[in-house]
Amino acid sequence: MENIKAELYKLCQQFIAQRIDTAETALEQAREASNDDTKSSAGDKFETTREMMQQDISRNKRLLMDARQNLQVLESIQDFIPTTTVKNGSLVRTTEGSFYISISAGHLMVDQKPYFAISALSPIGQLLLGKHVKDSVSFNQKEYVILEVC
């Protein structure tokens, strides 16, 4: 399972790198559009357009900040040390699926098997934290029995 965990970590890195790149590109494009916009005789229309561009810039800044925070979270779990207790960085196999406790990157495939990269702050992540093999948690009216922790 350590190789799978390392591959999941790599996929999460790629996920974040793509989010950062997308946010930086969108931010740069929004700034360029804002700088290129010149005042027309229609003052109200100009002000509305300018405000929409500013909102776009602010939204992209938030997305970029969020992606960078996710990168910090991911970098903090780089150790890959096996453990018997679910913690940030654990790979948890349950009766209802396998979860990589790291960042919210969603559905990932490794060796043609599905895994879910979830944040420790997500509802199911919070339920799994601190649990051990054979422990169970109930989420969305389903019982998740922990089969393996790595």
Side-chain angles (χ1 to χ4, degrees):
M1 273 190 48
E2 286 300 316
N3 290 339
I4 293 169
K5 196 166 154 181
E7 184 63 27
L8 288 167
Y9 182 87
K10 204 161 81 175
L11 290 171
C12 287
Q13 281 181 313
Q14 292 170 357
F15 175 83
I16 291 174
Q18 183 175 357
R19 283 190 61 203
I20 288 173
D21 185 52
T22 300
E24 285 176 340
T25 300
L27 184 58
E28 185 57 34
Q29 289 173 346
R31 284 183 178 148
E32 286 174 11
S34 178
N35 291 337
D36 291 344
D37 195 30
T38 57
K39 188 163 184 143
S40 68
S41 59
D44 287 344
K45 183 178 179 183
F46 170 77
E47 291 303 322
T48 301
T49 302
R50 198 85 160 141
E51 177 59 27
M52 289 174 63
M53 287 180 185
Q54 187 57 47
Q55 288 176 4
D56 197 32
I57 289 170
S58 295
R59 182 179 55 81
N60 287 311
K61 281 182 178 178
R62 283 190 304 274
L63 290 172
L64 182 58
M65 186 176 74
D66 181 54
R68 287 183 175 154
Q69 286 174 339
N70 276 329
L71 181 59
Q72 288 177 337
V73 168
L74 192 62
E75 288 173 344
S76 74
I77 60 172
Q78 194 171 5
D79 58 6
F80 303 122
I81 297 171
T83 179
T84 59
T85 304
V86 178
K87 64 177 187 144
N88 212 9
S90 294
L91 179 55
V92 184
R93 193 169 60 85
T94 74
T95 53
E96 297 296 325
S98 297
F99 301 91
Y100 180 47
I101 315 294
S102 57
I103 62 163
S104 294
H107 183 261
L108 302 172
M109 295 292 287
V110 175
D111 296 333
Q112 300 176 353
K113 292 182 183 169
Y115 296 88
F116 296 95
I118 62 171
S119 167
L121 301 176
S122 69
I124 189 144
Q126 289 179 342
L127 290 172
L128 290 170
L129 286 179
K131 301 292 186 208
H132 301 87
V133 172
K134 296 184 183 175
D135 285 350
S136 65
V137 298
S138 182
F139 182 73
N140 282 346
Q141 300 165 348
K142 284 187 179 179
E143 194 72 20
Y144 295 72
V145 178
I146 298 173
L147 304 173
E148 189 175 6
V149 177
C150 172

